[in-house]
Amino acid sequence: MSKLPIVILISGGGTNLQAIIDRAEKDLPVDIKAVISNKADAYGLERAKQAGIPTAVLEHRQFPDRESFDTALMELIDSYQPKLVLLAGFMRILTPDFVHHYHGRMFNIHPSLLPDFQGLHTHHRALEAEVEKHGASIHFVTEELDGGPIILQASVPVLPGDDAKTLAARVLEKEHIIYPLAVRWYAQGRLFLNENDEVVLDGKALTAPIQLEQAPDR
Ligand code: GRF
């Protein structure tokens, strides 16, 4: 099978990036054309270099406003001609033009069971809300921050004595499973966003996000 060209955007440590690199070195049919960071010191850039993947840094601070940064970012991404763009810990709010441009071909990973806990500090907020279950979601990116159609989720229990760090670590393990899995379905042409912005997997429009336990080929 031919490999899907993808570009991955990061801002930080890049453990999700690493999970995708590792799978791509085995059986995930993607060709990571570039890893782009808005921060020069993002450790994920090192991970990409070690895997022989081209990297680029586009620092938002060098741009006068959000629009000009996003326009430059779009041009940079498109120079690699990806079929799918992955936000993997990319900590920037994107403009509507940018989001429209990649409609149906951009995923984000968010560390909560969306629609719960959109935005930042999700683990801390989950603990404060005393939820029993927490987790992570993969979704198509739309204009609404962390609000696009959800593809796949994995949940973890919140355990007595958890703090934000222990909970984050438990969620992160699941993130590393669900991101490559959703990318696989897309690369295999089994997953897309239809004209009504519904997620379609294996010919069926989802009425609810897929849960990892019930997911095909996990
Ligand atoms: C992850 O928790 C991801 O869900 C969130 O930011 C974190 C990035 O982690 N958006 P990493 O850089 O992939 O290690």
Side-chain angles (χ1 to χ4, degrees), residues 12-17 88-91 108-111 123 172 175-176:
T15 64
N16 279 291
L17 165 68
F90 185 65
M91 304 303 281
N108 182 38
I109 183 156
H110 183 77
H123 309 302
L172 204 54
E175 294 186 32
H176 299 160

Side-chain angles (χ1 to χ4, degrees), residues 169-202:
R170 196 173 306 121
V171 171
L172 204 54
E173 271 182 41
K174 297 287 185 186
E175 294 186 32
H176 299 160
I177 299 170
I178 60 176
Y179 218 168
L181 186 53
V183 170
R184 173 187 311 283
W185 296 335
Y186 194 90
Q188 292 172 331
R190 297 162 56 190
L191 172 69
F192 62 92
L193 200 58
N194 71 12
E195 62 281 8
N196 302 320
D197 270 3
E198 295 163 321
V199 177
V200 178
L201 177 67
D202 292 338

Side-chain angles (χ1 to χ4, degrees), residues 138-153:
I138 309 292
H139 65 93
F140 280 100
V141 177
T142 58
E143 261 184 64
E144 196 192 333
L145 181 68
D146 301 325
I150 305 164
I151 302 163
L152 174 62
Q153 296 184 317

